[in-house]
Structure formats: C-alpha cells, structure tokens
Amino acid sequence: MSQKPMTKTQLVAAIAEGMGSDKKSADAFLGTLTSIITNEVAAGGAVTLPGLGKFACRARPERMVRNPATGEQFQKPADRVAKVTIAKALKDVINA
C-alpha cells in the first residue's frame, strides 16, 4: 500500500465530477464543509457524516509522559484532541 494520498486538487476534481458542476463550486463546497466541521468540533460538539464517520472533540486529563530521547518524565497538562471514529459502512467496504 504505497499509494500516495489524494491531494486537495484531486479531491476537488472528483467532487466536481460527482456533482456534475465546476471545480470552483466544488472547492467552495469543500471549504464550507471543512469550516463547519472545524468550528463545531472546536466548540466541543460532534459532526457525523453518514457512511464516513464521526468527528468529535475529546478531553484528555493531565498525565505523566516520558521524553523518549532523554528518559525524563514530566507532567503534561490537560488538553483537548480531535477524534475521528470510522463508520461501520466504511469499515465494511475496506474489509470487503
């Protein structure tokens, strides 16, 4: 599996072809979708894209971590991370 990931330009072209519209409209759609998901997840919410997955924000507690280069342990403060849960439909397509 050394296939290169799809670039934004390729994704916009595929969306335009699938929608039967021009690349400018597809790029605007992708930009709007990205903005909506980013704003919702940053606010602590979640967005579910049926057949694809769920984007959510998860809080991580304060914890002890270790620097692998030096072996030094230190306290890492609590933070928030984005989490993506893949939909069952996508898993089934991948494993088919």
Side-chain angles (χ1 to χ4, degrees), residues 65-74:
V65 294
R66 186 178 69 85
N67 181 339
T70 63
E72 173 192 9
Q73 288 194 346
F74 59 95

Side-chain angles (χ1 to χ4, degrees), residues 11-56:
L11 180 59
V12 167
I15 291 171
E17 184 180 324
M19 289 179 16
S21 69
D22 60 346
K23 290 181 184 178
K24 186 175 181 180
S25 297
D27 188 40
F29 165 77
L30 184 60
T32 303
L33 180 65
T34 302
S35 176
I36 290 169
I37 292 172
T38 301
N39 292 336
E40 185 65 25
V41 171
V47 177
T48 301
L49 297 177
L52 189 61
K54 179 180 178 180
F55 296 84

